[in-house]
Amino acid sequence: MRALAGRAPHRRGARIGALLAASLLLAGCQSAAEPDAAPTEAAARPSADAAASAVSFAPLRGTPAEAAALAHPSLAVKIDNHEEARPQIALNRTDIVFEELVEGGLTRYVAVWHSDVPDEVGPVRSIRPMDPDIASPFGGIIAYSGGQDQFVAMMMATPLVNIVFDFDETGLFTRADERPGPHDVILDSAEAVARNAALAPPPGQFSYGTADPLAAPALAAAPTSRIDLVFSEDRFPAWEWDGGTSAWLRSQEGEPDLEASGERVRAVNVVTLRVGIDWSYGEVPKTVMIGSGEAWVSAGGRTAHGTWAKDAAGSPIVLTADDGSPLRLAPGNTWVELVPNEGSATFTP
C-alpha cells in the first residue's frame, strides 16, 4: 500500500472550465466465451521506422501521442454524479469512465485520466466496495474523498497510490465556494500526477481497431442511433450517435448532460456490461466485477454483441464478440456502463 495523508484541506473557489430492427433489451444471463488472448495493447503497435519511435499510442485511448507525453501514471478519481454535483469538471478529457450503481439508486463514476490530464477535476466523492476491482488494472493513482473504513481499507490494500481528501495535508484538495457541500471537493489533478511522475504508465486495457471497428460482417453489428440504459428509477442515461462528430452524446434523465466547460458529455465508444450486484454490504451495492457476462460495444454508429470476462482484481476486462474474435474499440475515449442485471439496455437503429 502506498498512501498520501495528513492536515485538513483549505477552502477556495475552484476554476470550473461534456434495436436493431426491434429493441435489444438486457434479459437473461449469458456466460462469457473463453477469451483467446489478453487484450491487445494499443501502445505496442510497431513502427517500421526506428526513428519514429518517439511517437507511440495512448494505452487507454489507442490514439497516436508523443511517447514522452505518456511517461507518467494514470489518475483514477471517484467522481460524484448527484444532481447537485453537476456539471462535473473535465469529463471529456478522460480516457475511460466507469459508471456504477451506488446506494439510493444513484450512480457515481470512476474516471481515469492519462493521455490528457487537466489542472482540476471533480467533484470528488467517497469510495465504494467495487472500486478496487475497477481501478487496480490501471495501476498509478486513485483519488477519493474518503468512505466507510472497510472500503478505504480495501482500496489501501491495492498497489495504487491512494490520495484521500480526509487525510490530505498538502493542499491537493480544495472546496469550491460556488458549489454546495458535500458536492464541492476539487482535486488538483495535474499536481497529483506530477508528484507521482515516477510511477509507471498504465498498461493497455482494451483492443483498438479502426474508426469503424465493428464493420466486419462476422460481428453482425447493427446500426445504432441511440442507447437507452436503466440503472434504477432515478438513473437512466442515454447516448445519441452524432455522425458529424463521430461521437456518442450523453443525456441523463432526459436532459443533455453537460460538463463544466459547457460542452455536451461525449464518448467515441460506449461499452455496456451486464453485471450482478452483491448486497453483502447492506444498503451499499457492490458491482460484481470478477466473472463474466453479456456485453455490447457501440462505436462508429454501430453496436456489436458479445461477452465480457475479468478473472482477477488486477486483470483488465476482456471483450469477445459472438464469433469468438476480439471486440475492438475505435481510437478515442470510452465510457463503460456497468448496468445491473435488474436494469436494461436498449439499442435503437
Side-chain angles (χ1 to χ4, degrees):
M1 170 203 73
R2 287 175 287 185
L4 192 151
R7 114 177 98 89
H10 59 283
R11 172 178 286 269
R12 69 168 174 81
R15 301 184 299 276
I16 303 301
L19 117 319
L20 312 174
S23 294
L24 290 177
L25 294 175
L26 280 170
C29 205
Q30 176 178 337
S31 60
E34 187 70 18
D36 294 330
T40 300
E41 185 172 346
R45 297 183 188 178
S47 169
D49 184 356
S53 61
V55 177
S56 188
F57 288 84
L60 306 184
R61 279 185 173 234
T63 50
E66 292 286 338
L70 301 172
H72 58 82
S74 59
L75 170 67
V77 184
K78 195 62 184 286
I79 299 294
D80 198 351
N81 191 33
H82 189 280
E83 286 82 353
E84 293 186 350
R86 304 172 187 169
Q88 296 92 344
I89 303 169
L91 288 179
N92 282 342
R93 295 174 66 177
T94 56
D95 290 55
I96 303 176
V97 177
F98 295 83
E99 183 170 19
E100 62 186 26
L101 181 70
V102 295
E103 59 272 25
L106 304 183
T107 63
R108 286 186 185 173
Y109 308 142
V110 176
V112 184
W113 287 267
H114 177 246
S115 58
D116 181 14
V117 179
D119 289 338
E120 294 181 332
V121 300
V124 182
R125 287 304 299 270
S126 54
I127 213 74
R128 290 297 182 269
M130 54 282 201
D131 297 333
D133 293 343
I134 293 174
S136 289
F138 298 93
I141 309 162
I142 178 73
Y144 51 101
S145 65
Q148 292 187 24
D149 289 346
Q150 58 183 332
F151 303 152
V152 173
M154 290 162 63
M155 185 57 80
M156 290 282 188
T158 70
L160 282 65
V161 169
N162 283 230
I163 300 178
V164 188
F165 171 76
D166 289 350
F167 309 142
D168 178 45
E169 64 175 3
T170 62
L172 282 175
F173 293 94
T174 57
R175 288 188 181 272
D177 291 331
E178 64 272 30
R179 291 176 178 262
H183 318 288
D184 57 349
V185 177
I186 309 300
L187 172 67
D188 187 339
S189 44
E191 180 62 19
V193 171
R195 292 186 189 181
N196 294 278
L199 295 175
Q205 300 296 303
F206 297 115
S207 298
Y208 295 91
T210 67
D212 190 8
L214 307 178
L219 295 175
T224 305
S225 64
R226 182 180 173 93
I227 306 167
D228 286 279
L229 307 172
V230 176
F231 283 77
S232 70
E233 291 183 356
D234 296 311
R235 287 293 178 267
F236 42 96
W239 297 89
E240 302 164 65
W241 176 247
D242 180 13
T245 61
S246 297
W248 301 97
L249 304 181
R250 182 175 166 89
S251 298
Q252 293 205 82
E253 292 74 71
E255 298 292 334
D257 190 11
L258 306 180
E259 64 164 24
S261 68
E263 295 180 341
R264 184 92 170 260
V265 175
R266 62 185 185 271
V268 173
N269 305 287
V270 177
V271 176
T272 304
L273 307 185
R274 184 178 185 178
V275 297
I277 300 295
D278 176 359
W279 291 98
S280 299
Y281 298 97
E283 66 177 8
V284 180
K286 177 186 178 182
T287 299
V288 179
M289 296 298 301
I290 312 301
S292 60
E294 203 169 8
W296 291 263
V297 170
S298 301
R302 309 174 193 258
T303 297
H305 180 267
T307 56
W308 68 270
K310 177 178 166 70
D311 60 13
S315 300
I317 295 166
V318 177
L319 300 171
T320 305
D322 287 341
D323 70 348
S325 65
L327 268 175
R328 302 185 185 277
L329 309 186
N333 73 314
T334 300
W335 277 64
V336 181
E337 300 283 11
L338 302 173
V339 179
N341 288 334
E342 296 78 10
S344 66
T346 306
F347 303 85
T348 305

